Amino acid sequence: MSTSPPPHPSPPSPRPFRDLAPGIVGMALVGSSVTVSRSLVDAPLFGVQAVRYAVAALLLFGLARLARVRVRVPRGREWLWLAGVAATGLVLFNVAVVRGVAHAEPAVIAVAVACVPVLLGVIGPLLEGRGPSRRVLLAAPVVVAGAVLVEGTGRTDAAGVGWAALALGCEAGFTLLAVPVLRRHGAWGVSLHAVWMGAVMLAVLTVCVEGTAGLVSVSPRQWAAAGYLAVMVTAVAFLLWYRTVAAVGSGRAGLLTGVAPLAAAGAGAVTGGGVPGPAVWLGLAVVVAGLAAGLRPERAPAGPAGTQSSVPATPSLPAPVARKPRNAHESASP
């Protein structure tokens, strides 16, 4: 009887990082939009955003056709989920930010949005039919604390607190409301449908609230900023973000929102905002520590003896049954 040596443990799979990388890049693009968006402060809010999302929708549609990706037509309640993504994450969020900074310093809005990992870590897994991860729940406050250190704090009034809370809810809704439809529509479908719905909603608001005359006064520099937001921060970042949410779940993906304030601070430094202060560097270290703690790959379940096993156990086969000899000269054999 011979036994084969135990198999060597397989090296860690790079798959977890491949699943997280799109979300990291997507959040970095979102963070970079803070600097770009400053040039749109004086532009018509609804009109420019409607054009931005319309361009992004056309781009997503064209890319989907080139990539031969099938985009399904929503059905039943899926229309409500996708409309909710568009209304909260694209329309109301922009309103909350713009109206909020009139009552509060921008850091207040940023700190409120930085609390998103906590909401996603608790509510996201419940929508996915499973319990929240203890590791994510412990890491989420760490990421939030680091983001607060990066963004700083600011003064506000009661209205500013309300707008900040609305911005937080809308930012969380952008991910949570997509969870029920991600399985059927995927990142492409959710991104495309949410973007064109958001463009329609903003176009209606443009006609009813602002009017279209203000679009004539938008400068080429502002249109260039809107183009960057349409291509990189909408079409590309949305696809990357929803791909990670579908792969790792909304709870773990929510921790990656901590990358956005870091990217915003880095973009500000590159564009002439100066070298970040000690608090920002401390916040950077805290966010990285929180991400490292919350995004570590889950350990394989322990075997009967408490040891980790990377190879599934081979099921035991029943012992062969002895056959009765047909005559006195034949021995029993299986």
Side-chain angles (χ1 to χ4, degrees):
M1 178 178 176
S2 62
T3 59
S4 59
H8 296 288
S10 58
S13 171
R15 180 74 183 174
F17 179 77
R18 291 206 306 268
D19 290 336
L20 295 171
I24 295 173
V25 176
M27 281 296 112
L29 291 173
V30 170
S32 70
S33 69
V34 175
T35 302
V36 178
S37 298
R38 289 174 184 168
S39 61
L40 299 175
V41 172
D42 299 328
L45 171 62
F46 298 131
V48 171
Q49 295 296 332
V51 173
R52 164 193 172 181
Y53 290 121
V55 171
L58 292 174
L59 180 60
L60 284 169
F61 179 77
L63 291 175
R65 292 292 298 271
L66 288 175
R68 296 183 178 180
V69 176
R70 180 187 177 189
V71 178
R72 300 174 182 271
V73 177
R75 60 190 182 189
R77 294 182 180 178
E78 292 176 351
W79 286 103
L80 298 178
W81 291 113
L82 292 168
V85 173
T88 57
L90 279 62
V91 180
L92 286 177
F93 178 79
N94 283 294
V95 174
V97 170
V98 173
R99 297 291 182 260
V101 295
H103 297 271
E105 295 182 2
V108 175
I109 308 297
V111 167
V113 174
C115 296
V116 165
V118 177
L119 289 182
L120 297 185
V122 174
I123 303 176
L126 298 179
L127 291 176
E128 296 163 350
R130 52 189 177 84
S133 166
R134 182 185 178 191
R135 179 180 297 175
V136 172
L137 292 181
L138 293 176
V142 177
V143 174
V144 170
V148 170
L149 287 172
V150 173
E151 297 287 355
T153 57
R155 291 173 292 181
T156 181
D157 55 19
V161 173
W163 287 114
L166 179 60
L168 168 61
C170 291
E171 181 69 10
F174 177 72
T175 298
L176 295 175
L177 294 176
V179 170
V181 291
L182 261 176
R183 181 183 298 273
R184 180 171 182 264
H185 291 274
W188 282 94
V190 172
S191 300
L192 177 56
H193 289 308
V195 168
W196 75 255
M197 288 182 184
V200 171
M201 295 176 187
L202 287 164
V204 172
L205 288 174
T206 300
V207 174
C208 298
V209 178
E210 290 179 341
T212 58
L215 293 175
V216 180
S217 62
V218 178
S219 67
R221 181 170 176 267
Q222 290 174 324
W223 281 125
Y228 174 83
L229 295 176
V231 177
M232 301 304 297
V233 184
T234 304
V236 175
F238 282 22
L239 281 176
L240 295 175
W241 175 247
Y242 283 130
R243 179 179 174 184
T244 291
V245 173
V248 305
S250 55
R252 293 183 69 202
L255 296 176
L256 298 179
T257 58
V259 174
L262 306 185
V270 171
T271 56
V275 179
V280 176
W281 289 109
L282 176 60
L284 170 63
V286 173
V287 169
V288 171
L291 293 176
L295 298 177
R296 284 183 303 167
E298 297 290 342
R299 304 174 96 181
T307 59
Q308 302 290 335
S309 174
S310 59
V311 180
T314 303
S316 58
L317 298 176
V321 180
R323 180 170 57 84
K324 183 179 180 179
R326 287 190 291 266
N327 51 56
H329 301 286
E330 184 181 22
S331 60
S333 62

